[in-house]
Amino acid sequence: MLDKSYRPDEVEGKLYSKWMEQGAFSCGRAKSDDTYTIVIPPPNVTGSLHMGHALNNTLQDVLVRFERMRGKDVLWQPGMDHAGIATQMVVERQLGEQGMTRHDLGREKFIDKVWEWKDQSGGQIFQQLQRLGATCDWDRERFTMDEGLSKAVRKVFVQLYKEGLIYRDKRLVNWDPKFHTAISDLEVEQKEVNGHMWHFRYPVEGEEGHFITVATTRPETMLGDTGIAVHPEDERYKDLVGKFAILPIVGRRIPIVADDYADPEQGSGAVKITPAHDFNDFEVGKRAGLEVINIMDENAHLNDAVPEAYRGVERFEARKKAVAEMENLGLLEKIDDHPHTVPYGDRSGVIIEPLLTDQWFADAATLAQPAIRAVESGKTKFVPEKWTNTYYDWMRNIQPWCISRQLWWGHRIPAWFGPDGMIFVEESEEAAFAAAEAHYGRKEEITRDTDVLDTWFSSALWPFSTLGWPDKTPELDRYYPTDVLVTGFDIIFFWVARMMMMGLHFMEEAPFHTVYIHALVRDEQGAKMSKSKGNVVDPLELMDKYGADALRFFLSTSAAQGRDVRLSEQRVEGYRNFATKLWNAARFCEMNECKVPDGFDPFAVKETINQWIVGETVKCEAAVRAALESYRFNDASNAIYAFTWNVFCDWYLEFAKLPFQGDDKAETQATAAWALDQILKILHPFMPFVTEELWGSVAATRETDLIIADWPAYPAEAANAAAAVEMDWVQELITGIRGVRSEMNVPAGAKIPLIFNDGSAEDKARLEKHWDIIARMARLESYETDAEVPKGALQFVHKGAIVLLPLAGAMDLDAEKARIQKEIGKLSGYMTGLNKKLGNEKFVANAPANVVEGEKAKLADAETQLAKLNDAAARLAEL
């Protein structure tokens, strides 16, 4: 016998261990030729489960459980990313607590420390994903730094280099002065700050007393200026184009050039150009052929390219010094307050400096072309489709990809430098030495590049490197390309696009046919979650409180395409109640000895209520299946929710109570048990724990656990249309009667008569056939057809028939009229107060917007309630 209540904390761990022990998640278990593969977006080894992970992995798990039940050979490939800078930062922080730096250890010992930390502490997120119910094939776990993936990385780098698609160049990068490395745009956080705009006057060469004014938010960079740009159509400066200005403090002649980058509406319309320290200036400098002068070192201190008084000075101290000197020279025109965005390293927290350095780059523009065509041709599609344009916008304007990082933790670049700077790129040190010897005609010392690769480089190979590439493995042949990628919109550029490039270049096929982009999980007010706002909700806490199934179901029902998820603990609690409702329905069936006998055919049942529930089950499965196949997770979840709670529990089990008490109950017992089994199957991908627990408890024996049971398959045209029409008629009649009783406040225990007039012969037959059910569920004592209308009867129309409910004998009409008038008076007073508050301009102006909206919502609710009360009063007056 089932316990009175469902306790997730006692069930979830037990079931997950059981699934693991029997290898339920393993690929190759199903012998089908039809495979289904998803690669997990590899979480950082430093990571822990947050709501974004919970949403992403719930949706993936729904899909893989669904396809596993459909008999496909499913591989959900798990793994972790080594997370370059994030991981190095963690270990460096630990060393700092011991008063040490990585330089005290040296590179090799530091790397040993990182591996040691990874083995001890990394990967806790996998345990948390298992708590969520994720059914990855954990035996196939990969890590972007394991030997197999390292081999793939080396091969890709070497091949792309030899094809001319990887090269070394001196270009501007986002430089982190704290970590001493280039970082990607993804690792740059743009923050709005209240700064200043300094307006400097630069003397025009050979024109005494003539100046051109430029404005800057970064005065320290003026020491690296090599030009001034004005718009070619700016009449103020046409005579100056082609002339030179003298750079103050430095004394350098710098040309005045015409370029569309200069905005005549901004500041003076003239822009100082510092090609080595600003990305836009770098492009202007290239177009104008300006000199590129780097004035900073890796610490963002000024170097020897500036006047001696500034050498070695920290950049912000140099800013103060430059402003003071310009003021002393009489060349500071004015200083404006100026809010603007400043780039910060998302992990270091320091301001990022555009810096000209030697780096390795991939020719992303060439690699992008096949990836663009794959989406244009429909071989890979985005869901929702709107993200296709986001992908195109970036890919069609793609810049060279800086793939090198000045870190110690990561894939070390397989490049060696000869004594003359010659570069040898090979997959092994032995091959590099051999190449050097062949080049020089003798053995020479070569030195390996100290840089490592951008984390996204190894992640770009994820769909095929995890399957054993570059070796020709059976897994690679069977499971590549994968099916769908489930990920967030924020890494379309950084991960999705690069997987497309690498998959097409090395495998000649796109790595997936569909990219499903899920939205953000926000707080209940729609704000983005952040630690600084204090609105972060821990999914582990919600699972502890309500169970994993409740959180999963909330996330799947909220995953509407193109709409962010607003986290509501109340709704999570509501889905815990849904699990309880299902549990209680199963207990009710068990108490009524509902079992599916051998040989039972649900499509041969005779009773109308049973034909109806069988047909409704068929419709539910079709709706859920169609929604999942088109990635409409919310529609799929809502379909099984509505069927379980409303159709099966609230209607069918109520209909079944009378047959359960009769002598001829076997068919209804079998049908109820069958329908419950179908619910457990269809609901399993969304709520795996409660469904598996019930599956193993409500039947004496099962051939398999639910996780590997077959997805329901029904005969074509299995639904009984006539039964559906008949039972819909019954439901609507009961609902109509209940509505009148509720509106008129008829006591729950009072049984009232029914008069059914002007109905068709078919309607009268239905009323007679289902009278016992209707009478019990609508609390009726008798019925007449085509009878006189008594005084004190309320009526409504049902399918063309007139339904009359004589209420005079069932309630005290005068007392009810008095009650309603009293309620109207209270509600009117309440609304007067709300209107007065909302009419107060001071309150509306000063109160927070959500408070004002809340008051308006209260008023709208009160207006609706008042309309209902007035309607009830009018109807009572007629009696």
Side-chain angles (χ1 to χ4, degrees), residues 174 183-189 279 394 405 494:
N174 297 308
I183 62 174
S184 73
D185 291 340
L186 183 68
E187 295 161 317
V188 176
E189 183 180 358
F279 289 100
W394 192 70
R405 298 290 181 268
F494 303 101

PDB file of all heavy atoms in Angstrom, residues 174 183-189 279 394 405 494:
ATOM      1  N   ASN A 174      41.961  42.710 -25.710  1.00  0.00           N
ATOM      2  CA  ASN A 174      41.541  43.089 -24.356  1.00  0.00           C
ATOM      3  C   ASN A 174      42.605  42.558 -23.392  1.00  0.00           C
ATOM      4  O   ASN A 174      42.746  41.342 -23.240  1.00  0.00           O
ATOM      5  CB  ASN A 174      40.193  42.446 -24.011  1.00  0.00           C
ATOM      6  CG  ASN A 174      39.076  42.914 -24.903  1.00  0.00           C
ATOM      7  OD1 ASN A 174      38.860  44.099 -25.062  1.00  0.00           O
ATOM      8  ND2 ASN A 174      38.345  41.974 -25.493  1.00  0.00           N
ATOM      9  N   ILE A 183      42.095  38.581 -22.896  1.00  0.00           N
ATOM     10  CA  ILE A 183      40.849  37.903 -22.572  1.00  0.00           C
ATOM     11  C   ILE A 183      39.849  38.155 -23.692  1.00  0.00           C
ATOM     12  O   ILE A 183      39.986  39.091 -24.479  1.00  0.00           O
ATOM     13  CB  ILE A 183      40.268  38.336 -21.208  1.00  0.00           C
ATOM     14  CG1 ILE A 183      39.920  39.833 -21.212  1.00  0.00           C
ATOM     15  CG2 ILE A 183      41.222  37.999 -20.070  1.00  0.00           C
ATOM     16  CD1 ILE A 183      39.208  40.288 -19.940  1.00  0.00           C
ATOM     17  N   SER A 184      38.836  37.308 -23.743  1.00  0.00           N
ATOM     18  CA  SER A 184      37.835  37.423 -24.805  1.00  0.00           C
ATOM     19  C   SER A 184      36.807  38.490 -24.462  1.00  0.00           C
ATOM     20  O   SER A 184      36.695  38.934 -23.315  1.00  0.00           O
ATOM     21  CB  SER A 184      37.122  36.089 -25.004  1.00  0.00           C
ATOM     22  OG  SER A 184      36.240  35.849 -23.919  1.00  0.00           O
ATOM     23  N   ASP A 185      36.046  38.892 -25.464  1.00  0.00           N
ATOM     24  CA  ASP A 185      34.968  39.851 -25.228  1.00  0.00           C
ATOM     25  C   ASP A 185      33.987  39.326 -24.186  1.00  0.00           C
ATOM     26  O   ASP A 185      33.393  40.102 -23.437  1.00  0.00           O
ATOM     27  CB  ASP A 185      34.215  40.138 -26.534  1.00  0.00           C
ATOM     28  CG  ASP A 185      35.063  40.913 -27.521  1.00  0.00           C
ATOM     29  OD1 ASP A 185      36.044  41.535 -27.096  1.00  0.00           O
ATOM     30  OD2 ASP A 185      34.753  40.881 -28.731  1.00  0.00           O
ATOM     31  N   LEU A 186      33.792  38.013 -24.155  1.00  0.00           N
ATOM     32  CA  LEU A 186      32.857  37.417 -23.204  1.00  0.00           C
ATOM     33  C   LEU A 186      33.300  37.657 -21.766  1.00  0.00           C
ATOM     34  O   LEU A 186      32.475  37.722 -20.853  1.00  0.00           O
ATOM     35  CB  LEU A 186      32.747  35.905 -23.459  1.00  0.00           C
ATOM     36  CG  LEU A 186      31.752  35.152 -22.587  1.00  0.00           C
ATOM     37  CD1 LEU A 186      30.332  35.567 -22.927  1.00  0.00           C
ATOM     38  CD2 LEU A 186      31.905  33.661 -22.745  1.00  0.00           C
ATOM     39  N   GLU A 187      34.599  37.792 -21.571  1.00  0.00           N
ATOM     40  CA  GLU A 187      35.124  37.962 -20.219  1.00  0.00           C
ATOM     41  C   GLU A 187      35.270  39.430 -19.837  1.00  0.00           C
ATOM     42  O   GLU A 187      35.832  39.758 -18.801  1.00  0.00           O
ATOM     43  CB  GLU A 187      36.485  37.260 -20.107  1.00  0.00           C
ATOM     44  CG  GLU A 187      36.377  35.750 -20.267  1.00  0.00           C
ATOM     45  CD  GLU A 187      37.693  35.081 -20.623  1.00  0.00           C
ATOM     46  OE1 GLU A 187      38.440  35.623 -21.485  1.00  0.00           O
ATOM     47  OE2 GLU A 187      37.974  34.026 -20.054  1.00  0.00           O
ATOM     48  N   VAL A 188      34.744  40.306 -20.691  1.00  0.00           N
ATOM     49  CA  VAL A 188      34.769  41.744 -20.420  1.00  0.00           C
ATOM     50  C   VAL A 188      33.378  42.186 -19.998  1.00  0.00           C
ATOM     51  O   VAL A 188      32.392  41.903 -20.681  1.00  0.00           O
ATOM     52  CB  VAL A 188      35.223  42.540 -21.659  1.00  0.00           C
ATOM     53  CG1 VAL A 188      35.142  44.041 -21.385  1.00  0.00           C
ATOM     54  CG2 VAL A 188      36.640  42.151 -22.055  1.00  0.00           C
ATOM     55  N   GLU A 189      33.302  42.860 -18.871  1.00  0.00           N
ATOM     56  CA  GLU A 189      32.019  43.359 -18.368  1.00  0.00           C
ATOM     57  C   GLU A 189      31.994  44.877 -18.526  1.00  0.00           C
ATOM     58  O   GLU A 189      32.839  45.584 -17.969  1.00  0.00           O
ATOM     59  CB  GLU A 189      31.864  42.970 -16.896  1.00  0.00           C
ATOM     60  CG  GLU A 189      30.530  43.368 -16.302  1.00  0.00           C
ATOM     61  CD  GLU A 189      30.407  42.977 -14.838  1.00  0.00           C
ATOM     62  OE1 GLU A 189      31.356  42.353 -14.314  1.00  0.00           O
ATOM     63  OE2 GLU A 189      29.382  43.298 -14.225  1.00  0.00           O
ATOM     64  N   PHE A 279      40.319  50.249 -29.843  1.00  0.00           N
ATOM     65  CA  PHE A 279      39.965  49.380 -30.979  1.00  0.00           C
ATOM     66  C   PHE A 279      39.491  50.189 -32.191  1.00  0.00           C
ATOM     67  O   PHE A 279      39.839  49.883 -33.329  1.00  0.00           O
ATOM     68  CB  PHE A 279      38.897  48.365 -30.557  1.00  0.00           C
ATOM     69  CG  PHE A 279      39.421  47.319 -29.623  1.00  0.00           C
ATOM     70  CD1 PHE A 279      39.208  47.409 -28.255  1.00  0.00           C
ATOM     71  CD2 PHE A 279      40.147  46.237 -30.105  1.00  0.00           C
ATOM     72  CE1 PHE A 279      39.699  46.437 -27.383  1.00  0.00           C
ATOM     73  CE2 PHE A 279      40.645  45.264 -29.249  1.00  0.00           C
ATOM     74  CZ  PHE A 279      40.421  45.369 -27.887  1.00  0.00           C
ATOM     75  N   TRP A 394      26.687  38.334 -36.476  1.00  0.00           N
ATOM     76  CA  TRP A 394      28.044  38.178 -35.961  1.00  0.00           C
ATOM     77  C   TRP A 394      28.949  37.491 -36.977  1.00  0.00           C
ATOM     78  O   TRP A 394      30.065  37.916 -37.235  1.00  0.00           O
ATOM     79  CB  TRP A 394      28.027  37.408 -34.641  1.00  0.00           C
ATOM     80  CG  TRP A 394      29.345  37.475 -33.943  1.00  0.00           C
ATOM     81  CD1 TRP A 394      29.912  38.566 -33.351  1.00  0.00           C
ATOM     82  CD2 TRP A 394      30.277  36.403 -33.790  1.00  0.00           C
ATOM     83  NE1 TRP A 394      31.130  38.227 -32.829  1.00  0.00           N
ATOM     84  CE2 TRP A 394      31.389  36.917 -33.077  1.00  0.00           C
ATOM     85  CE3 TRP A 394      30.284  35.061 -34.170  1.00  0.00           C
ATOM     86  CZ2 TRP A 394      32.483  36.131 -32.748  1.00  0.00           C
ATOM     87  CZ3 TRP A 394      31.382  34.282 -33.837  1.00  0.00           C
ATOM     88  CH2 TRP A 394      32.459  34.815 -33.142  1.00  0.00           C
ATOM     89  N   ARG A 405      46.315  32.927 -24.945  1.00  0.00           N
ATOM     90  CA  ARG A 405      46.157  33.506 -23.618  1.00  0.00           C
ATOM     91  C   ARG A 405      47.495  33.391 -22.886  1.00  0.00           C
ATOM     92  O   ARG A 405      48.169  32.368 -22.973  1.00  0.00           O
ATOM     93  CB  ARG A 405      45.065  32.787 -22.819  1.00  0.00           C
ATOM     94  CG  ARG A 405      43.668  32.868 -23.426  1.00  0.00           C
ATOM     95  CD  ARG A 405      43.108  34.275 -23.323  1.00  0.00           C
ATOM     96  NE  ARG A 405      41.768  34.365 -23.888  1.00  0.00           N
ATOM     97  CZ  ARG A 405      41.500  34.689 -25.135  1.00  0.00           C
ATOM     98  NH1 ARG A 405      42.478  34.937 -25.979  1.00  0.00           N
ATOM     99  NH2 ARG A 405      40.254  34.784 -25.559  1.00  0.00           N
ATOM    100  N   PHE A 494      30.324  32.754 -29.006  1.00  0.00           N
ATOM    101  CA  PHE A 494      31.577  32.244 -28.451  1.00  0.00           C
ATOM    102  C   PHE A 494      31.691  30.731 -28.517  1.00  0.00           C
ATOM    103  O   PHE A 494      32.799  30.195 -28.549  1.00  0.00           O
ATOM    104  CB  PHE A 494      31.726  32.728 -27.011  1.00  0.00           C
ATOM    105  CG  PHE A 494      31.679  34.215 -26.920  1.00  0.00           C
ATOM    106  CD1 PHE A 494      30.525  34.864 -26.518  1.00  0.00           C
ATOM    107  CD2 PHE A 494      32.764  34.971 -27.296  1.00  0.00           C
ATOM    108  CE1 PHE A 494      30.472  36.247 -26.468  1.00  0.00           C
ATOM    109  CE2 PHE A 494      32.716  36.363 -27.254  1.00  0.00           C
ATOM    110  CZ  PHE A 494      31.571  36.995 -26.840  1.00  0.00           C
TER     111      PHE A 494
END
